[in-house]
Amino acid sequence: MPVDKLYLVLGGARSGKSRHAESLVEARPPPWRYIATAEPLDEEMRRRIAAHKARRGSGWHTVEAPLALASAIDECAGGTPVLVDCLTLWLSNLMLNGHRVDEAVNGLLAALGRRHGPTVLVSSEVGSGIVPENALARDFRDAAGSLHAEVAAHAEHVHFMVAGIPTIVKGTG
């Protein structure tokens, strides 16, 4: 895989995933590309998106890709450092819009394989809690677990965030 460095940053809600991922990207010279998968469907999500944008400086260029993540990654030129936030929101968008998850994941992995620059992927760990009570939530949990395993197999570095502290699962810091 030609990626210079591929990081997967996993963690629960409010674990510090995004801030840690931003610090990994900002360790390289700008410009930096931020690929956002969230959709501002309600006021609470609009506030979350605004807070994320507000803490990033002028070196960041944001691309919104709620569904076409592989294409957005392909459009990042040369060695530009890229941060994708977040894979589980992207997965949710795919599932709720009736897309073939397996095809989209294969497309993502292919796009990552074509990258020639550092790439940091953020995703929420959703499989460590109780078994969800409905089929859609169980399908999502299972799909997220499979997605994480596939991406982690290709990643040089996997970090798991616990209470704002990165735990190295694979690779180095």
Side-chain angles (χ1 to χ4, degrees):
M1 184 173 245
V3 173
D4 294 329
K5 295 235 185 284
L6 178 61
Y7 287 82
L8 174 61
V9 179
L10 295 166
R14 298 289 191 217
S15 63
K17 301 179 301 287
S18 295
R19 286 185 191 272
H20 178 63
E22 289 165 6
S23 74
L24 292 171
V25 173
E26 289 175 340
R28 289 144 175 97
W32 309 298
R33 188 69 48 105
Y34 186 99
I35 301 176
T37 63
E39 293 186 281
L41 300 176
D42 59 35
E43 186 55 37
E44 186 267 341
M45 187 55 89
R46 282 189 280 281
R47 284 193 304 271
R48 285 178 181 259
I49 291 169
H52 271 249
K53 285 182 179 179
R55 74 171 179 238
R56 292 193 305 272
S58 62
W60 288 94
H61 173 71
T62 300
V63 174
E64 296 187 15
L67 293 167
L69 181 55
S71 296
I73 289 170
D74 279 337
E75 291 173 11
C76 296
T80 301
V82 171
L83 168 59
V84 175
D85 197 353
C86 101
L87 292 181
T88 43
L89 284 174
W90 172 68
L91 177 63
S92 175
N93 294 339
L94 292 172
M95 292 178 75
L96 292 175
N97 286 286
H99 290 264
R100 295 274 320 258
V101 170
D102 56 342
E103 290 176 7
V105 170
N106 287 338
L108 169 64
L109 295 173
L112 292 171
R114 292 187 290 270
R115 281 275 304 144
H116 291 284
T119 308
V120 180
L121 307 170
V122 174
S123 202
S124 296
E125 174 53 52
V126 297
S128 296
I130 61 172
V131 175
E133 67 179 35
N134 66 73
L136 177 59
R138 288 189 297 274
D139 288 346
F140 174 75
R141 179 212 47 201
D142 293 348
S146 296
L147 171 63
H148 295 157
E150 289 190 54
V151 171
H154 290 87
E156 295 167 289
H157 305 276
V158 178
H159 296 184
F160 188 74
M161 298 300 296
V162 179
I165 301 168
T167 302
I168 308 303
V169 177
K170 179 180 179 182
T172 59

